[in-house]
Amino acid sequence: MWGRIWRWLAVGASMLACLAGGAYVLWRMVHGRVTGTDYFILAGAAGAPAAIAHWVMRQWSDSRSTARYTRIAIPSDNRPENLVQLEHLPSGAIDQETLERWLSVLEGIDWSAPSVEEIDRSVNTFVALPGETERVIVLTPGTEYELLLNIGWRHLASLVEQAEARWPAELFPDKGVWLRAALLLEGQQEAVSVPFYLPAQGESWVCSCEPGLPHVETCSPHPWVRLPVRTLDHPGIIRGELLVYYEAAAVIAMQVELPAGSPVAFPRVSVVNKLSRSFTDLGKLSKRAASVVLMPQGERVVVNGASFLDSPFAIGANAADTSAANIRTALFDSHFRRVGHGRRWPRRRQSRLQSLYDAEFAKSHTEYEQDLRRLALEGQDLYVKLFAPPGTDTTMASALPDLLRHEARMRGRPPVLQIVDDQATEYPMLWPAIYDLAVSDKASLHESCPSVRKFGPEGDHVGPVPPVCPFEDQHSDDVLCPYGFWGLSSLIEQPPPSGRDLRTVVHEGQDHVTLLAAMGASLNQQLTTAHVERLRDGPPACRLERPPISTERELVTALGPEDMDVVYFYCHCGYERRSELAAVDRYLDFGDYSIKPIDVKRWARGRAWEDPHWSRRSPLVVLNGCHTTEVNSGTLNDFVGAFTQWAGASGVVGTEVIVEQGLAGWVMEQLLTHLLTGASVASALRSTRWAMLHRGNVMGLAYTAHCLANLTLRPPTTNKE
């Protein structure tokens, strides 16, 4: 800028000097004092303006040439100030002369919109202040922003790379369509979703019209989808997923990074996956329209926090009890055989049971495949009963498996299944054992997917397990595949009753994870000692506290403070029946005394603990015993509600059936290893199930987690810089 000013000042000074020289020579000619030198001065005064004019024309021509070759096609209603906010760059990032040069280029841009044939439409997104359209480059901690999105002509402020931003218009019908944007950030249980309209040509818009219906005369369109976001209260990064849906199918999936508090870290949006098949190739998913109106009541499964992808389910108490009993029996039979004499079971069942797993808790491929076949039959019966009860439309039940697998492919991770059920603790439901692929009632006829062997005891797979079956294109209509089980294909979120907002992080501090262990005295002490030593040594290591709990009072005292992250009960769990017609309740056996759910509630109601209990540091309670979280429709008291609603725990992990002590210890060592390395509870449990499957062990489906799927012991490392 200043260089151009000085050049023009020099030109002006030169012109004045020439004019002054010419006037002086003319004055001398009038007075007859002309010499030979004066003729040279006169020639210079006449030639210099011509030379200067030639230089000016050349500069002007070069400027026009630069503007001509830097023109790009942008809609006429988008002004430069709405596209690139150069004045918002960090201090010192650009000097004034460079800024002026860019602004001069923008002034020469042709802002007329091209036709559809000239340019493809793009997905545009960037961060702005609420209600604004200017891109914000550096985010401030603890501040409200909006993530703006539209589909149209390429926007210079968009964070999506131009090579990734192309909208796949060829997959859509040649008419306007309703779409939906869904943003799910870390730590959120519900995605923020906004419907918007994309015409056959031109840019998308948001309006108040009913999605799926024609636009009304009073329609007032706005160009941007606005998704509210709030940065962390401290310097760090929030990550999330932004997807665009057409009905129930995700069309484009993007990863969002929102750093705050750093002058060198800027928001980023990158495309993770994009639909490449036509909607007619999506199978039954193409026939399912995403539900727009969500009833405030009722049981349903919500996929990836998007309420418009919910699938209502219904089941009666007797049917729930029957299906749960069938699955629990199948898991029990895969684990034990009965030995000894007599037909009646003695009071202590484990003395008459022998584990079918070897010393490494493994089975042969043949035995493991037989277990899978039986569980698939029971799991399919439960799935059909839940999502296609008699007299209902079967479209939802048919399309849900396709939806789950499409979500996994698009997001590149297992889908999160949120169980929204007001009767979750009243009806028994073994969600991990649900099998959503079609199989016949003759287990021997099931076609075995190659994944059965690849991920089984004779498999060669190493490394992370893919989010979808690598042999999905080979599936028949009667197929046995590990990915058919929800506990292996998905991250299941089964929130417990709490009466408060559930936590996603047990403790915000950065100190070592503390595990308080309460070991039952009636266990095999040799196995217990070896198990405790492995927990203490790691890897990864944690601070393991084992206080004296020889009496109930000592146990109550140990559970009082807020200085533990995991409360680990490793003990037998027994049944208690108060009358012949009543359902059984459960108790934790510590040898000289036992603990029932009503005891935990009594401690919380009395003076033994602070009120509220565990309000600042809500530990995860692990009940590693036999059938510790088993319930049926007649159960009056259960440990899940006792610890979450009354004691203040963030969640409970337990078992649905009898588990041999050595196997139970090994399973928990696997689970805690994943938790201590930063995995969420749902992810750690899924990884543990796959590790067990690699040994031919299906008992991972007997473990359930009652907490938020993304619950972690410490803040995720992605929230830090």
Side-chain angles (χ1 to χ4, degrees), residues 5 13 28 97 145 153 224 236 255 283 337 349 355 357 363 369 387 414 505 522 535 579 610 699 706 717:
I5 293 175
R28 289 179 61 88
E97 182 176 354
Y145 294 99
W153 316 124
W224 293 102
Q255 183 75 31
R337 63 167 166 254
R349 298 184 183 182
S355 177
Y357 292 103
K363 280 188 178 183
E369 187 170 336
F387 296 100
V505 178
S522 59
L535 290 177
S579 65
E610 291 185 3
M699 290 303 294
H706 299 263
T717 55

Side-chain angles (χ1 to χ4, degrees), residues 543-598:
R543 182 180 292 111
L544 192 148
E545 303 287 345
R546 194 178 175 186
I549 57 166
S550 57
T551 64
E552 178 182 331
R553 181 178 296 276
E554 289 181 341
L555 177 61
V556 174
T557 302
L559 297 177
E562 298 193 37
D563 55 6
M564 75 283 289
D565 303 291
V566 179
V567 176
Y568 180 36
F569 293 95
Y570 185 59
C571 59
H572 288 306
C573 180
Y575 289 118
E576 180 190 51
R577 189 187 299 273
R578 301 185 192 179
S579 65
E580 291 296 328
L581 299 179
V584 296
D585 283 332
R586 287 141 197 85
Y587 62 87
L588 301 180
D589 181 10
F590 290 97
D592 294 334
Y593 65 98
S594 61
I595 298 300
K596 305 170 188 176
I598 195 66

Side-chain angles (χ1 to χ4, degrees), residues 369-448:
E369 187 170 336
Q370 289 176 350
D371 293 339
L372 276 185
R373 291 182 185 277
R374 180 176 176 184
L375 283 169
L377 279 175
E378 303 296 349
Q380 179 193 234
D381 286 346
L382 177 56
Y383 177 81
V384 173
K385 187 64 178 177
L386 280 170
F387 296 100
T392 61
D393 185 8
T394 61
T395 302
M396 196 77 71
S398 299
L400 182 56
D402 291 336
L403 169 63
L404 298 181
R405 283 145 187 82
H406 180 67
E407 286 283 310
R409 281 192 297 269
M410 293 297 295
R411 297 174 184 258
R413 63 162 176 80
V416 177
L417 297 183
Q418 297 167 303
I419 312 303
V420 182
D421 185 2
D422 295 336
Q423 298 175 326
T425 59
E426 298 180 16
Y427 287 3
M429 208 64 60
L430 277 71
W431 296 101
I434 286 181
Y435 190 81
D436 63 9
L437 297 177
V439 290
S440 67
D441 59 353
K442 297 179 177 59
S444 60
L445 300 181
H446 300 166
E447 181 179 334
S448 182

Side-chain angles (χ1 to χ4, degrees), residues 60 155 185 237 258 264 274 299 363-364 451 456 475 483 499 538 544 550 568 608:
W60 180 77
H155 203 290
L185 297 177
I237 301 175
L258 302 175
V264 296
K274 192 184 299 183
E299 296 75 27
K363 280 188 178 183
S364 68
S451 288
H475 285 183
Y483 285 89
L544 192 148
S550 57
Y568 180 36

Side-chain angles (χ1 to χ4, degrees), residues 139 159 237-240 255-259 266-270:
L139 306 184
L159 298 173
I237 301 175
I238 294 180
R239 289 180 171 85
Q255 183 75 31
V256 178
E257 295 184 5
L258 302 175
F266 311 114
R268 294 180 56 190
V269 177
S270 57

